Amino acid sequence: MKGIDAIAEILKREGIEFLACYPSQPLIDACARRGIRPVLCRQERIGMAIADGFSRTTNGKRLGVFTMQQGPGSENAFPGAAQAFADNVPILLLPGGEFTHKAFVKPNFSAMDSYGSVTKWMAQINHMDRIPELMRRAFYQLRTGKGGPVLLELPRDVMEGEYGSDEVQYTAVNGNRMAPDPQDIREAARILLQSNRPVIHAGQGVMYAEATEELRELAELLQAPVMTTMPGKGAFPENHPLALGASAVSTTKPISHFLQRADTVFGVGCSFTRTAYGKTIPDGKLIIHSTIDPSDVNKDYEAGHAVIGDAKLVLQELVDEIRSSTAGGGREANGTVAEEVQTVKKEWLDEWMPELTSDEIPINPYRVIWDMLHTVDRANTIITHDAGSPRDQLVPFWETVAPRTYMGWGKSTQLGHGLGLIMGAKLAEPGKLCINVMGDAAIGMVGMDLETAARSKLGILTVVWNNGAMAIERDTMEYATEKYGTVFVGGNYSEVSRALGGWSERVEKPDDFIPAFKRAIEVTKTGQPALVEVITKEGFDFSKYP
């Protein structure tokens, strides 16, 4: 048995189902012989995004893996690792490496020297005997604590050398959860019960812990409205009477209304990072911060109280403590909070209804969102945005009804990442409708990987908003645009999709969108990817957001 076969055998025992890969790596064949399906992409960062989307969709219970060639393969994959690291996604990266006796020889690229800033943990399998040990450590890191990319570099002599045995001594790894300190729980419960207007700020840690039901119980006991971060969108059902929605660069009026008036903000499963891609907490709020990672606490916001632990365990114990100390009654709320939430939400939607139901030509992208929202079965749909305008237009208005039916991403914003994410989601949930919404700039970067979906029989649905310009960047290059037309980009992406093996239609009138969208949905059921190109108007008005 060669070293590469020992690695493949361990991946099989760990339950790995798919190996995203590009372009050439001995691990591909070794895994294929063991029934692990290779999914060959057209560029490395999309392969990383496929692994990313698979892990997100399964809350890391089934892990995405990406392998790439040493040197240029590792170099090209860096943006995908940066994106997964920014969003704390557990994926296993297995780059090839030069022979160990070629270490420290320039210009050979070393993943170990270059990926430290975008990985949770990394190592090089520098000796054949260490394969089981280092694989065990890698999977423990993937399954314990905050998520993030884990990297194991595979030098060529380790992959090609003889393992020395026909049997690998290896047992699959279990992770651990961290329970909170009971005193911290009692203090958090006391503060929340004494608060006049608490708001719950939920992050994606709630979804990784699979704690949506516990979050709902806490919100109802406290009669506290719930907002989510963009990566946490879906952690709380947005059709619940206490749901405020999610924030990207854009936000919802209910979030702004309740955050401004809150006295206490309870963050759970979140890092409380100050970012342009999330709502800033106003000054003067008492913050209770519950996170699995102590390094998050007091990072960007002063925490009045902290609770360290797995989100599910924290929420379970908080619910029990509040029930116990209030004879099951919860907090006595002043007035009917749910009614206030629904009143503000109705006001907000009424203000936006002219955009959401617009008959403009070129088509208003908000009309597209509204039409999609009322056409699909949201509980059986997974949708993601791309960077830029699609993200900030979709996040506030797509009402998410179940966990992991929306993939929000973004502290890093790699254009085109959504296409790989949705392919990973389709691999994880083949029975669900999987939609990627992207702009013309994003498809310009990664559009060739539509062929990956066609070749792999991944029936994803891509909706392209084509306004012929990088509209969101227009204000940053006014002179260049006026003199040289710098922001204007062009293309017929419907024709590109057909040329790459997909089905497509181009829509130029708003009333034509839903029929084309429904036809696209039917096509995806056959395993063929579909693309609907919508000619949309240029422009993005942030002033309408609170």
Side-chain angles (χ1 to χ4, degrees):
M1 177 185 289
K2 292 188 179 295
I4 201 66
D5 293 308
I7 293 167
E9 178 62 26
I10 290 171
L11 291 175
K12 183 68 175 178
R13 294 186 194 181
E14 287 287 2
I16 300 306
E17 302 164 57
F18 301 96
L19 183 71
C21 52
Y22 190 80
S24 173
Q25 234 279 17
L27 187 59
I28 298 171
D29 227 26
C31 285
R33 285 194 292 269
R34 287 161 176 80
I36 299 174
R37 175 188 171 187
V39 180
L40 188 81
C41 56
R42 300 294 292 261
Q43 60 166 303
E44 288 85 355
R45 72 182 186 100
I46 290 297
M48 296 280 278
I50 291 171
D52 180 332
F54 188 87
S55 286
R56 287 189 205 234
T57 303
T58 65
N59 289 321
K61 303 301 185 289
R62 297 154 63 200
L63 288 162
V65 182
F66 179 67
T67 190
M68 61 284 208
Q69 176 181 315
Q70 78 273 11
S74 299
E75 294 165 13
N76 289 339
F78 192 92
Q83 183 65 64
F85 182 76
D87 285 350
N88 306 120
V89 182
I91 57 175
L92 178 60
L93 314 182
L94 297 171
E98 289 291 344
F99 292 101
T100 52
H101 69 266
K102 296 286 285 183
F104 316 116
V105 176
K106 294 180 179 181
N108 291 338
F109 181 85
S110 166
M112 282 290 296
D113 291 338
S114 305
Y115 274 73
S117 63
V118 293
T119 51
K120 176 183 177 181
W121 181 85
M122 65 178 183
Q124 181 193 73
I125 302 182
N126 58 351
H127 196 277
M128 199 75 66
D129 292 345
R130 300 193 71 192
I131 289 174
E133 168 210 337
L134 289 169
M135 292 291 282
R136 186 177 298 114
R137 290 173 67 183
F139 276 99
Y140 185 76
Q141 289 291 332
L142 287 163
R143 294 188 173 123
T144 302
K146 181 187 282 190
V150 165
L151 181 147
L152 276 179
E153 189 175 41
L154 313 178
R156 292 177 64 182
D157 46 327
V158 172
M159 289 192 286
E160 296 171 4
E162 290 297 327
Y163 181 62
S165 171
D166 290 333
E167 182 61 32
V168 181
Q169 299 300 315
Y170 187 90
T171 303
V173 174
N174 293 318
N176 289 112
R177 295 190 298 167
M178 182 185 298
D181 185 323
Q183 179 57 39
D184 291 339
I185 290 290
R186 287 192 289 271
E187 180 64 9
R190 182 191 67 79
I191 295 169
L192 288 168
L193 287 169
Q194 291 180 357
S195 298
N196 291 317
R197 290 181 66 91
V199 166
I200 298 173
H201 180 283
Q204 68 173 337
V206 173
M207 289 190 288
Y208 278 112
E210 298 184 346
T212 291
E213 182 58 24
E214 289 79 5
L215 178 59
R216 182 195 61 77
E217 287 186 63
L218 179 66
E220 291 174 357
L221 269 176
L222 294 173
Q223 281 298 289
V226 181
M227 62 171 288
T228 70
T229 62
M230 179 169 55
K233 187 174 171 69
F236 190 78
E238 293 177 342
N239 58 349
H240 190 284
L242 290 169
L244 303 177
S247 275
V249 174
S250 54
T251 189
T252 70
K253 187 172 184 176
I255 286 177
S256 294
H257 174 92
F258 279 89
L259 262 188
Q260 198 62 47
R261 292 161 178 76
D263 57 349
T264 302
V265 179
F266 171 51
V268 58
C270 67
S271 64
F272 270 135
T273 301
R274 287 185 186 266
T275 170
Y277 306 104
K279 182 68 175 174
T280 300
I281 308 300
D283 293 338
K285 312 300 178 185
L286 174 61
I287 290 177
I288 305 172
H289 192 179
S290 177
T291 172
I292 201 168
D293 187 351
S295 67
D296 287 336
V297 179
N298 291 313
K299 179 179 68 176
D300 274 347
Y301 292 96
E302 179 182 350
H305 183 64
V307 184
I308 305 301
D310 173 84
K312 191 179 189 79
L313 298 179
V314 168
L315 289 166
Q316 285 173 338
E317 295 194 23
L318 262 179
V319 166
D320 290 345
E321 177 66 24
I322 290 170
R323 287 195 192 282
S324 174
S325 60
T326 62
R331 188 177 69 92
E332 292 184 10
N334 296 323
T336 305
V337 177
E339 288 183 6
E340 185 181 352
V341 172
Q342 295 309 303
T343 297
V344 177
K345 183 176 181 179
K346 184 178 184 306
E347 290 173 357
W348 173 61
L349 287 176
D350 286 347
E351 292 167 6
W352 274 92
M353 205 53 66
E355 302 279 342
L356 296 166
T357 59
S358 170
D359 288 328
E360 293 173 87
I361 298 175
I363 300 170
N364 188 318
Y366 292 103
R367 165 72 182 266
V368 180
I369 294 169
W370 196 247
D371 284 352
M372 288 194 297
L373 183 68
H374 292 90
T375 301
V376 304
D377 173 6
R378 282 173 287 157
N380 289 298
T381 297
I382 301 173
I383 189 168
T384 191
H385 56 256
D386 215 284
S389 298
R391 171 196 62 227
D392 297 307
Q393 292 167 323
L394 197 63
V395 167
F397 291 105
W398 189 271
E399 188 181 69
T400 304
V401 298
R404 295 303 183 192
T405 56
Y406 191 103
M407 282 195 289
W409 54 275
K411 287 192 184 81
S412 179
T413 56
Q414 310 288 339
L415 265 175
H417 195 72
L419 180 60
L421 283 183
I422 210 65
M423 285 193 268
K426 191 67 175 179
L427 284 166
E429 293 282 1
K432 289 188 175 178
L433 172 62
C434 293
I435 304 171
N436 168 49
V437 180
M438 65 197 317
D440 42 10
I443 196 171
M445 294 192 75
V446 300
M448 288 301 295
D449 268 286
L450 292 169
E451 188 274 337
T452 299
R455 172 172 29 88
S456 304
K457 295 181 171 55
L458 298 177
I460 61 169
L461 199 169
T462 296
V463 178
V464 177
W465 292 348
N466 184 358
N467 61 14
M470 298 187 298
I472 202 169
E473 283 84 14
R474 178 183 278 276
D475 290 345
T476 68
M477 50 182 94
E478 290 181 1
Y479 181 82
T481 297
E482 182 179 349
K483 185 172 183 179
Y484 298 107
T486 307
V487 299
F488 299 116
V489 295
N492 187 314
Y493 306 107
S494 175
E495 291 183 357
V496 170
S497 175
R498 285 196 296 273
L500 294 173
W503 176 98
S504 66
E505 284 192 24
R506 198 177 220 222
V507 176
E508 299 184 16
K509 297 178 181 178
D511 289 342
D512 293 340
F513 175 73
I514 289 179
F517 186 60
K518 287 181 176 179
R519 287 190 290 272
I521 291 171
E522 291 304 310
V523 168
T524 64
K525 295 175 183 178
T526 70
Q528 184 182 22
L531 180 144
V532 179
E533 179 183 14
V534 186
I535 307 305
T536 60
K537 74 172 188 176
E538 184 186 340
F540 185 72
D541 186 2
F542 284 109
S543 69
K544 293 191 176 184
Y545 287 105

